[in-house]
Amino acid sequence: MSLFLAAVEYGGPWHLPPVNELFEWPAFLFQDTIFAFNRVALLSLLAAVIAAVLFLIAFNKPKIVPGKFQAACEAVVDFIRDQIALQAMGSDGLRFVPLLTTIFLFVWMNNLFEILPFINFPPTSRMAIPAFLTAVVYVLYHFFGVKAQGLGGYLKNTLFPPGAPKALYILLTPIEIIQAFVSRPLTLAVRLFANMLAGHIILTLIFITIHAFLVFGPGLPVGLGALIASPLLVGFELVVGLLQAYIFTILTAVYIGGSLHPEH
């Protein structure tokens, strides 16, 4: 973000850099190789490390009467267990609590980078991250579906919904194929990507506007208005980041739960 602000003089012309410059980060390690490592990869790795360290600290030596930090981390796990795993998957959801908690924390930590000063960039606004997470979920819910029902039973129950009139299968089966193998992974990835992309662009616009117009002169009211609006927008994006982590996690639970129980 500082690079973009530096290109805008106080009181000078306001302009938005090309959108691709907001998301393209050159590799700084292993350039021009399949192991190229850039800012997106660094932040994603940092998000995973932060989440792991926080929970290691909280539960390395758990106390019967937890302190505030341990209690806060326990509250996160309890929320994932009670409000996502059990609600969406029933009693089978208990064994998926570690997976769902990992997904929730990883997505949430990546989303939080959007509002952190000197970072102001969520890796989830790059399609590669939501696509990778979706690919993991896609493989898992098909894997557990086949494991629970057998390959033939899983395909039969997925493509030919139990209880539906057989005459309707000519319409339902193509819809189920698209839903199970195309629309679910596509919408899961695009929903997270699009929301974080939009939020990143909005915050970039507001910060550039403050930087360009917050000087004495005709543009001062614009700069002041943007300055006043900025905490509200940052708070809004904080809520959006948390909500998107929740939505991604609960849809993961719903998809896996549905693959385990065809009647769902």
Side-chain angles (χ1 to χ4, degrees):
M1 182 65 69
S2 59
L3 294 176
F4 304 131
L5 296 182
V8 180
E9 296 293 338
Y10 279 107
W14 185 96
H15 68 278
L16 180 67
V19 173
N20 64 306
E21 291 185 14
L22 302 179
F23 302 95
E24 289 186 359
W25 303 97
F28 54 83
L29 289 176
F30 312 115
Q31 295 94 333
D32 301 322
T33 71
I34 61 173
F35 303 105
F37 197 83
N38 64 1
R39 190 186 188 198
V40 178
L42 176 63
L43 291 176
S44 299
L45 180 62
L46 183 60
V49 170
I50 291 174
V53 169
L54 288 177
F55 270 64
L56 284 174
I57 294 173
F59 299 117
N60 184 38
K61 295 181 179 179
K63 299 178 181 179
I64 298 177
V65 180
K68 293 182 179 179
F69 184 66
Q70 181 183 331
C73 291
E74 287 180 354
V76 173
V77 177
D78 288 343
F79 175 79
I80 300 296
R81 182 191 63 201
D82 298 336
Q83 302 302 319
I84 295 181
L86 292 178
Q87 290 288 334
M89 307 171 73
S91 59
D92 286 333
L94 290 175
R95 63 190 174 113
F96 292 101
V97 170
L99 170 67
L100 297 174
T101 303
T102 300
I103 290 174
F104 176 81
L105 288 174
F106 181 73
V107 175
W108 188 24
M109 290 294 173
N110 275 284
N111 292 350
L112 280 177
F113 286 138
E114 179 185 15
I115 62 173
L116 290 184
F118 307 108
I119 297 180
N120 297 113
F121 175 75
T124 41
S125 67
R126 288 291 300 270
M127 188 58 180
I129 303 300
F132 170 76
L133 291 171
T134 299
V136 172
V137 173
Y138 181 82
V139 170
L140 287 177
Y141 81 73
H142 286 307
F143 169 78
F144 286 115
V146 172
K147 184 178 180 182
Q149 304 177 52
L151 178 60
Y154 178 66
L155 291 176
K156 177 183 177 182
N157 291 321
T158 298
L159 304 182
F160 303 95
K166 293 183 178 180
L168 290 180
Y169 285 152
I170 192 171
L171 296 175
L172 289 178
T173 298
I175 294 174
E176 292 298 326
I177 291 174
I178 294 173
Q179 175 180 270
F181 299 102
V182 180
S183 68
R184 279 183 177 178
L186 181 63
T187 56
L188 190 63
V190 170
R191 181 184 293 106
L192 176 60
F193 160 72
N195 278 278
M196 301 315 298
L197 171 70
H200 181 49
I201 293 175
I202 289 171
L203 290 184
T204 299
L205 282 170
I206 201 74
F207 293 149
I208 288 178
T209 300
I210 293 171
H211 192 74
F213 290 98
L214 198 61
V215 293
F216 288 106
L220 182 59
V222 177
L224 288 175
L227 181 63
I228 294 171
S230 60
L232 299 176
L233 290 173
V234 170
F236 176 74
E237 288 303 317
L238 176 62
V239 174
V240 168
L242 178 60
L243 182 61
Q244 289 305 312
Y246 169 76
I247 291 173
F248 195 97
T249 307
I250 197 170
L251 286 177
T252 298
V254 169
Y255 294 160
I256 294 177
S259 70
L260 295 175
H261 307 288
E263 67 272 15
H264 292 173

